[in-house]
Amino acid sequence: MLSANQALRGCAVTNREARWRHAGRGFFDLDGLRIPANEGVRLLPIAGGKSGTVVAVTTVRGRTAIQLQAFHVSAGRSWDSVRLELLARIRRDGGTAEEVIGPSGSGIQARVPVVTPGGEQKVMDVRFVGRDGPGWLLRGTVSGAGAAPGSAEAWPCEVFDETAVKSTALIAPDSLAMELQWPPGEATN
């Protein structure tokens, strides 16, 4: 069962630099990812492994968040194969999941069991989106109001669709996740 504070298995929000805000247009340059810097968004770093390297970022606006993580992948590994593995894992871990087609293509709508910081067990709506390119895969995990079944909130899909992956980014130790630079560089156009 996942902790409600954990959007990625084995990762946690780092305490080195809790948040980064931006009120303008352009992109946050995290080296491995280039993420749209829309007004009113907050970025929260996610560290993984023993090294504490930042391997993902959660972009928050209002009551919706999308966590973005890029991976180096071998030839033949694609979002299609990862999506099938993710479906099986969610179901094996006691959640429900179904494939859906949305604005960002094929994804997963899921309900996963979580444990709140107070120890209470709940079920959380989550939506997964993904895409792949030569040697890389980008996964987005939508939570909050925008992950509810039937939600028409477009913002998380727009962020995902506009995020660029730098396939030459370093790989985090003991992981296939791309390392991200934190704090992010200034937003650029």
Side-chain angles (χ1 to χ4, degrees), residues 67-87:
Q67 186 176 91
L68 301 162
Q69 185 171 27
F71 301 90
H72 284 284
V73 295
S74 58
R77 190 108 164 104
S78 67
W79 172 237
D80 289 339
S81 62
V82 170
R83 191 174 64 251
L84 293 174
E85 292 169 8
L86 189 54
L87 276 164

Side-chain angles (χ1 to χ4, degrees), residues 74-160:
S74 58
R77 190 108 164 104
S78 67
W79 172 237
D80 289 339
S81 62
V82 170
R83 191 174 64 251
L84 293 174
E85 292 169 8
L86 189 54
L87 276 164
R89 187 175 79 203
I90 292 167
R91 291 171 180 158
R92 183 186 65 234
D93 291 346
T96 61
E98 65 180 341
E99 287 192 77
V100 294
I101 303 294
S104 296
S106 296
I108 298 172
Q109 181 69 51
R111 299 197 84 207
V112 296
V114 297
V115 177
T116 68
E120 185 180 352
Q121 293 187 7
K122 291 190 170 193
V123 176
M124 180 172 77
D125 289 317
V126 181
R127 191 164 23 109
F128 296 94
V129 292
R131 72 173 183 266
D132 53 66
W136 59 268
L137 181 132
L138 176 64
R139 182 181 66 200
T141 306
V142 181
S143 59
S151 171
E153 188 170 353
W155 173 78
C157 289
E158 290 167 2
V159 168
F160 181 79

